[in-house]
Amino acid sequence: MPAETATPPLLRMRGLQIEAGGAAILHRLDLTLARGEILGLIGESGAGKSTAGLAALGYARPGTRIAAGRVELDGEDILALPEAARRRLRGARLAYVAQSAAAAFNPAHRLIDQHAELAVIHGRDQDAARQDAVALYARLGLPDPGRFGERYPHQVSGGQLQRAMLAMAMACRPDVVVFDEPTTALDVTTQLEVLIAIRDAVKAAGNAAIYISHDLAVVAQLADRIMVLRHGRLVEEGPAAKLLSRPREDYTRQLIAPRRLQKPAAAGGGAVLAVSGVSVSYGTTRALDNVSLSLPRGTTLAVVGESGSGKSTLARVVTGLRAPDAGTVEFDGRALPPTLRRRSVDTLRRLQMIYQSPDSALNPHQTVAEAIGRPLQVYVGLKGKAQRARAAELMRRIELDEGLLDRLPGQLSGGQKQRVCIARALAAEPDLLVCDEITSALDPLVAGSVLELLLRLQRELGLSLLFITHDIATVAAIADAVVVMHRGRIVERGTREDVLSRPQEAYTKALLAAVPQMAPTWLDALLAGRNGGLAPPV
């Protein structure tokens, strides 16, 4: 622990233990946070990072309980307060920025209305709250801040929505902000913008922050001090620069230098998927512009590009969630009906999609067994004990304990929820998986195991993958061929080796140049240039 100073910490946890079903998931954790400090919490999925972050708000997830310890805010144990008093602290003095901005906003209400509602609940004037929202939008670099808040959540990009959530968290100028993996699902360009916005907001407000992430390089730039968690226990802690340059523990070294995969070239067969001349518009915005591509059977085609490039719209067209304005989609040599409801049950079984956000994809009121059991019943005809046995087998294949089958999504970590989504898709025994940023929210160790699983399934089953990602390292690990998208168009295509080693287009070269996007010298220079000369923490 850091040496005691004359100034008491703003936040302190003492011997905090959190249990689920009588078993400890956070073991007697001690933590301190000084005013003006950014503390990084790192570790793989299930390490207890989010559990500790929520505990800083005096909160435990459903199915868990705070069994022992104290959480002190300015010396007062907030766990000793009545629940109503703790709720008044949340949003006012303690704020939380979630991993999934899409799940944090009500899709039926405008952004500024949701921002103002939070401020009004905590005693702010309605008009003043709306004016403050506009000022925060401007500070966070959101476009047209005077009118930005009039949009609905689905009308803005992922990076913009993440910054809008940051603005909402800052509405009452809280003392402590907990950031829970807020940039994992963003492309490298958008991620940088959000990181700069976070640094700006925290430093300008003079508050303190806990930054939860599995991305060591991000934490290295934002955090003054880092704590490494594993299985709910503290493994190692220290100043950010020292811990990352000279880690003491093997586990920390594994996080810093995770294993790298390199996929051998696949032979491939005839085209299992062919997209021809597809165009899609949202109002006056052209999301896809005359897109054509082909995916040979048993291979992986990676679709790469930054936020707003059209990757996810392409996935929605392929799966029938969005009818194209023009063009066709062929599956196994036959033209597919443009909408989901017009496709046959067998086509739905053979072409499955895994979504980016498991929070949106999973029904929070269904157990894991029910989520996986539905496709087993509809597509494979399994019921009762046979369905349960197959669900347990799928859980083992994705490296989850079958004991989690009876849990609800809210009782799982982000990585566990995403793997449940993968198991649910595999339950249909598909030929083609459309994977939309499925590893973006996972820590490197878990992401690596998921990619290895997909590669093994591909070898064993001849599975074809349309893999949408912004992570170039993932492309190198899993792709046979690559298409690069920018503003709705394909700007480059080729084999993995050609695109990654010998890019021809300026946009592709810019994406590849951003691969070490969190390398200290690269981000330091950008932060210094775009963040008013603010130096990174030492």
Side-chain angles (χ1 to χ4, degrees), residues 18-70:
I18 298 180
E19 298 177 351
I25 58 174
L26 199 66
H27 299 263
R28 299 288 181 177
L29 182 68
D30 292 331
L31 176 154
T32 62
L33 182 67
R35 187 172 293 279
E37 182 182 30
I38 299 178
L39 172 66
L41 287 184
I42 66 171
E44 63 189 310
S45 178
K49 308 184 301 294
S50 295
T51 299
L54 290 170
L57 281 67
Y59 180 81
R61 287 192 180 100
T64 69
R65 70 183 188 95
I66 300 175
R70 297 167 60 88

Side-chain angles (χ1 to χ4, degrees), residues 258-264 397-399 419 422 426 438-439 442 444-460 463 465 467 474 477-478:
R259 57 188 168 182
R260 298 186 180 275
L261 304 175
Q262 186 67 37
K263 181 186 177 181
R397 294 196 78 166
I398 59 167
E399 300 177 355
R419 282 181 281 172
I422 294 171
L426 294 176
I438 65 169
T439 59
L442 304 179
L445 298 180
V446 174
S449 68
V450 169
L451 294 177
E452 285 182 336
L453 169 65
L454 290 173
L455 292 175
R456 186 175 74 248
L457 290 169
Q458 189 171 54
R459 290 193 302 269
E460 295 172 355
L463 199 63
L465 303 176
F467 206 97
T474 298
I478 202 167

Side-chain angles (χ1 to χ4, degrees), residues 109-120:
H109 296 281
R110 299 179 192 275
L111 294 171
I112 199 166
D113 293 335
Q114 297 183 63
H115 182 112
E117 179 184 24
L118 176 67
V120 169

